[in-house]
Structure formats: C-alpha cells, structure tokens
Amino acid sequence: MAADSGTQNSDWKKRESFGSALVQIVIVAAVLALVVFLVVKRGNTKKEVGELLKEARTTAFKGNPNDLRAALKVAEDAVEKDGNAAEAHALVASLATDLWMLHRENGAEAKAREALTRAKANDAKSEERYGAEALHLVATGDFKAAENFVEDLRKKGANSAKLLHAQALALKAQGNLTLSRQGFTTAIDKAWKDANYSASWGEAILDEGQLGAVDTFTKALGTNPDLLRAKNGLALARVMKKDKIGDAEAMVAGVLSRDAELSPPLKARAIAIQAHIANVATESDKAIGLAEKALGLNPDDRWALFAKANALAAKKDAAAPGAYIDLVAKAPSAPVFYFEGARHLQAAGMIDAAIALLDKYEAFFKQVKNLTADGKEVTYLERDDRYYLTRGDVLKESGKLDEAMAAYDKAIEARNVNVTKAYYSKASVFLAKKDYDKALEMLQDITPEDGTGQLAEAYMAVGDAKFAKKDFGPGCQSYVFGLMKMKAQQAPREKLNAVIDDVAKRLKEARQSDLLKTWNDEAKTFIQ
C-alpha cells in the first residue's frame, strides 16, 4: 500500500514537471515574441519619426510662413508617434520659435516654450534644441546670457549655424557690431544653402546703412528665389541706395499680391518699403499714411518708424525729433537710424535735435569694447569714423565750424576705412573758413596729381581752393579729375553737366577767356 502510494506520488511529480515546463516555454516564447514585437515596433517608429523629421526640415528650408507651418505640422506628427522623441520636440521648438520671433504667429510662443521644455526633459542634443534655447534668451532681452550660453557650448565643441546666428543676434543687440558680423557670416558659411541666414545678414547690414546689402539679398534670392523675406530685403536695400526704385516697387507689389501667404511682419515690411518709396518721391503725407498702415500690422517695424520719422522731418513737423527718439529706443543698435535721422533733422533746421540724436548713439555705443589683433582693448567709438564724420557734417552745415573740425579730427584719429573722407571733410572746414592754404595741405595726400585719388569731391575741393587763389589752370585740371571720378562712379549726366557749367560760369566771371574757350571745347570730352 505504501509502495503504491510512493509510485503514484512520483508519477504525479513527473506529470507536474512536464506541464510546468511546457507552460514556462509557452510564457517565455510569448515574452520573447512581445519583446521582438516591441523592438521591431520601436525600430519602425524610430524610422518613421526620422523620416518625418527629415521631411519637416526639408519643408522648413523653403523659409516662408506657410512652409514653416507645414513643417511644424509634420514635426508635431512625429511627436504624436513618439512622445519621448527628443529631436522631434527640439524641432517643434525651433520651428515654433521662428514662427513666433519672425512672423508673430498667434500661439507660437507658447508652443515653442512648451516644446523646448520637453526637448530639455528628454535630453535633446540637437542644434534645434540649443538654437531655440539661445533665441528664447534673445527674445526675452537677456542678450548677454544668450551670448554666454552659446559661447559655453562653443567651448565644448558646438559650432552649428543656428547657434552662431543666435549669438550674432545677441551681440548685435548689445551693439557689438564687429563680433556680430563674424557670427552672421560664419553662420552663412556653415549653411550656405539656407538663404534665411543670408537674409538675416542682409537685414543686419541694412541696419548699419551698408549699401552692400543689395548684393547680400541678391545672393539669397539666387539660392532661394521664392524667399519673401529676401524679396522685401532686396527692395528695401535698393530704395535705401536710391537705385532701381522701379524694380523695388515692382518687387514689393509682387510680395503684396501674395497676401494669403504673408505674416503680419512680412506685410508690414512691404508696406513700409512703399512708404520709403513715397519719401523718395517727396510725397510725405502719403509716406506717413503708409507707415502708419504698416505699424498697424507690426508696431515694432523699425523701417516703418523710420519712414514716418523721415516724412515728418521733410515736413519740418515738430513731431519729427520725438519720432526718431522712439525709433532708436526700439532699435538702439542700428547706426543708420541715428546717422540718417541726424541728417534729416539737420536739413529740417532742427540742429539741436540732430545733435541730441547723435548723443544717444554715443551713449549707447560707448560701453562697447573689442580686442585688437595685439590683444589691446579699445572702445567701439575709438574706431567709429562714421559717427564722427556724421557729427562733423551736421555741425559744419549748421555753421559750428570749430566743433565740426574737432569731430573730423576724431574721425582721422580712428584710422578706419573712411580716413580719406575724414581728411577731405576737415579740408572742407578750412575751405569754409577761407583758409585755402590749409585746405590744400589737408588735401595733398588724398589727391595725387596723376588723378588716382579715391574721392571726386576731394579733387573738386582742390579746384575750389585753387580758383580762390586765382590759380585757374591747375584748378581746371583738378575739376577734370573730379569729373572723371564722378563718371566712373556713374553719377547722373545732369550732375556732371552742372559742374561743367558752374566752372565755365566762374571762369567767365574771372575773365579767363582763353581758359574758358579751352574748357568749353574740351571739358565735355572727358565725360563722354
């Protein structure tokens, strides 16, 4: 009985072990299948997310608001597929940041901030994450923090176009135009196929009043012919240069014809350009109306503010000085608004307001410092010959010759790219004082006798000084050199003829009949 009991117990254990093993095999197989399924699914999801991000980046590359919105939708689809995809959150943050900062898209700021928070929580390492983070600091006005944030990343090896561009914006906002230029151009070099970086650089040099912006925007459109931001930029650059105004007008009309595709800032900028075109045509009231229309779309559009201020100055309206003050408060690091504003105010007879505007420029930029090649620290103003030339011009035109002379001396001391013009400007003060010998002494080094000097106006000044000293023959030769320089610079024919007629009139008044005959016979041959 006992033996049977033992045998039955043994058989039972054998049956239990076999069943358990079978169950365990089934469970393990199921678990393995699940793991394989999850791994495959995860792999497929990762692949799908990667493809979506690639699509989003390609779409965003086109750069217009509709492109950014479409790209953002694709990036958000990637987030829907994988809520933990760090790069997807970073790309959403980057695209939403562009829609917020460039195009003032409703809801874009909140979306950008939320996406950046999630990108950081998921430890995103992409340039979109860090670029968005830097731009958010710029947007909040913490420019030094943005500069330092990027600089710390660069020390660790980060060197993407987005980061360099963000740092350039931060440096520009602080008035460090020297270093910001390096940032903009290096970003372009790293991402030369992306016309948005060229457009941003074009806008920056327009703020400096550099006419080379025409070439920059032209190159941007060569890369991306449909970039609306670059179309606006090229039109504005041409208007500021007063060159091909008709082409600029047509380009702006083309931008505005695509109304459904325009963000408020793009539309505002196009209308602001129309206001500047009206100013060129001396239609001040029309310019003010257009500028106000632009400001209704984007109250911070600096070029609309500038167009309105210029129109008020042209009307000699008492509101003009305040309009320029409001403008530079919104764009304190843009030299063109101070310099051109001062010239417009001076032309309107508002000398004190012009000088006050330049004082604000000096107050803003005097804190900016840079290192020279040999490691010495110099203030930006020490090298800022354009500022001292502008100040001198305003003072000279208002009859404050001694103060103008002091400003021109500082322009000469700067030893920068405009040193030749600085010497000419100082000579012009001596001319105004009728100190012709001093004027000729100042002009000697910049007006070689073989006519190879740079400035037409310098040769004209030599002619004026020599005529004043009754030295008519050499004076005529200097005027010829000046005319040749003017022709080389494509001065209008009527301007050249005005000089020729003026010299002839002065020779006639001085009873220099022989020289007058020679001048009338030969002068025009030099400009044909």
Side-chain angles (χ1 to χ4, degrees):
M1 184 71 176
D4 291 341
S5 175
T7 301
Q8 290 174 0
N9 188 51
S10 176
D11 291 341
W12 178 83
K13 286 182 179 181
K14 288 179 181 179
R15 289 195 301 273
E16 181 185 41
S17 297
F18 177 76
S20 296
L22 185 61
V23 170
Q24 289 174 14
I25 290 171
V26 171
I27 292 172
V28 169
V31 170
L32 286 172
L34 179 61
V35 168
V36 170
F37 171 77
L38 292 174
V39 168
V40 172
K41 185 174 185 294
R42 177 62 181 168
N44 288 337
T45 300
K46 187 175 181 180
K47 181 180 178 182
E48 290 171 0
V49 167
E51 289 172 348
L52 288 169
L53 296 184
K54 182 179 179 181
E55 180 186 345
R57 291 186 180 106
T58 300
T59 303
F61 198 72
K62 299 173 186 176
N64 288 327
N66 284 351
D67 302 315
L68 293 174
R69 294 184 193 108
L72 179 59
K73 175 64 172 64
V74 175
E76 289 175 326
D77 289 344
V79 170
E80 286 293 320
K81 284 192 172 293
D82 185 357
N84 296 316
E87 282 199 20
H89 289 299
L91 184 55
V92 169
S94 179
L95 294 169
T97 296
D98 284 345
L99 285 167
W100 159 34
M101 294 181 65
L102 293 176
H103 300 291
R104 294 179 177 247
E105 183 94 357
N106 288 333
E109 179 181 356
K111 186 171 291 186
R113 292 191 181 282
E114 180 187 357
L116 180 59
T117 298
R118 296 181 69 180
K120 291 163 71 174
N122 284 279
D123 198 26
K125 302 293 186 185
S126 65
E127 67 171 303
E128 284 100 352
R129 175 258 172 106
Y130 293 116
E133 197 166 350
L135 287 172
H136 287 204
L137 291 170
V138 171
T140 55
D142 201 345
F143 307 122
K144 190 63 180 178
E147 177 196 348
N148 292 339
F149 174 77
V150 177
E151 194 59 32
D152 288 343
L153 288 170
R154 292 183 69 181
K155 289 175 181 177
K156 297 173 184 176
N159 206 23
S160 73
K162 284 183 182 293
L163 279 176
L164 292 168
H165 178 252
Q167 189 177 44
L169 292 173
L171 288 163
K172 178 180 180 293
Q174 295 174 80
N176 198 328
L177 304 182
T178 302
L179 290 182
S180 73
R181 292 183 200 118
Q182 297 174 19
F184 282 118
T185 54
T186 307
I188 291 172
D189 289 341
K190 286 187 171 296
W192 60 271
K193 291 184 179 180
D194 191 339
N196 290 285
Y197 291 114
S198 294
S200 186
W201 170 227
E203 290 166 359
I205 57 178
L206 260 181
D207 282 354
E208 291 192 46
Q210 301 288 352
L211 299 181
V214 169
D215 294 334
T216 303
F217 286 117
T218 299
K219 288 177 182 177
L221 288 170
T223 303
N224 182 351
D226 198 46
L227 187 60
L228 294 169
R229 182 183 180 189
K231 287 178 183 286
N232 271 345
L234 179 57
L236 179 58
R238 283 178 171 165
V239 174
M240 291 300 103
K241 192 178 179 181
K242 294 183 172 58
D243 178 51
K244 298 182 179 179
I245 302 291
D247 289 352
E249 194 167 11
M251 185 165 282
V252 169
V255 170
L256 289 172
S257 71
R258 297 167 62 174
D259 185 66
E261 302 173 57
L262 302 179
S263 62
L266 282 174
K267 187 173 182 179
R269 180 59 52 84
I271 296 171
I273 297 165
Q274 290 182 324
H276 282 285
I277 292 171
N279 273 330
V280 172
T282 64
E283 298 175 319
S284 300
D285 290 331
K286 180 180 178 181
I288 291 170
L290 287 165
E292 289 177 343
K293 182 178 178 182
L295 292 169
L297 293 164
N298 180 9
D300 295 325
D301 190 289
R302 57 195 184 277
W303 290 96
L305 290 166
F306 189 39
K308 182 177 180 179
N310 289 346
L312 290 169
K315 289 165 63 72
K316 299 185 179 181
D317 193 303
Y324 285 114
I325 296 300
D326 290 344
L327 167 59
V328 298
K330 287 184 180 291
S333 64
V336 68
F337 301 137
Y338 297 94
F339 297 163
E340 291 301 315
R343 291 188 179 100
H344 284 291
L345 289 169
Q346 187 275 325
M350 302 176 182
I351 307 303
D352 290 342
I355 295 299
L357 188 62
L358 292 173
D359 286 342
K360 284 191 171 293
Y361 178 90
E362 184 169 340
F364 181 81
F365 282 96
K366 70 180 180 181
Q367 303 298 329
V368 179
K369 297 178 181 179
N370 292 113
L371 291 177
T372 61
D374 56 0
K376 294 180 180 178
E377 189 175 69
V378 297
T379 63
Y380 183 79
L381 286 175
E382 286 180 66
R383 300 273 292 158
D384 193 1
D385 53 0
R386 287 201 308 156
Y387 165 62
Y388 291 113
L389 283 169
T390 303
R391 192 176 189 93
D393 290 347
V394 170
L395 291 165
K396 184 183 73 173
E397 293 302 318
S398 62
K400 298 180 180 181
L401 299 183
D402 290 335
E403 292 178 58
M405 185 82 76
Y408 292 140
D409 279 334
K410 288 191 174 183
I412 292 171
E413 290 168 11
R415 295 291 169 187
N416 213 329
V417 294
N418 294 300
V419 67
T420 300
K421 187 175 181 181
Y423 275 109
Y424 157 73
S425 297
K426 185 174 180 180
S428 71
V429 176
F430 285 122
L431 279 174
K433 289 185 170 189
K434 302 186 186 304
D435 191 340
Y436 304 116
D437 289 331
K438 282 282 190 182
L440 288 170
E441 182 182 335
M442 291 298 304
L443 292 165
Q444 183 176 356
D445 290 340
I446 64 171
T447 55
E449 292 183 0
D450 60 359
T452 56
Q454 298 176 16
L455 297 180
E457 54 265 44
Y459 280 106
M460 294 296 180
V462 171
D464 289 344
K466 289 186 179 295
F467 264 41
K469 289 169 64 66
K470 312 299 183 185
D471 200 357
F472 295 105
C476 285
Q477 183 61 62
S478 293
Y479 286 128
V480 167
F481 286 144
L483 286 168
M484 293 171 69
K485 293 292 174 188
M486 290 172 66
K487 181 185 177 184
Q489 295 162 6
Q490 299 182 336
R493 171 72 60 175
E494 56 270 21
K495 191 171 182 180
L496 297 172
N497 285 329
V499 172
I500 292 170
D501 293 343
D502 180 63
V503 172
K505 178 183 177 183
R506 290 158 70 186
L507 287 170
K508 183 177 180 180
E509 290 172 350
R511 298 183 179 179
Q512 298 292 313
S513 55
D514 291 341
L515 274 175
L516 175 59
K517 184 178 185 306
T518 301
W519 181 262
N520 286 335
D521 289 344
E522 299 182 11
K524 292 189 178 182
T525 65
F526 291 104
I527 61 171
Q528 289 177 355

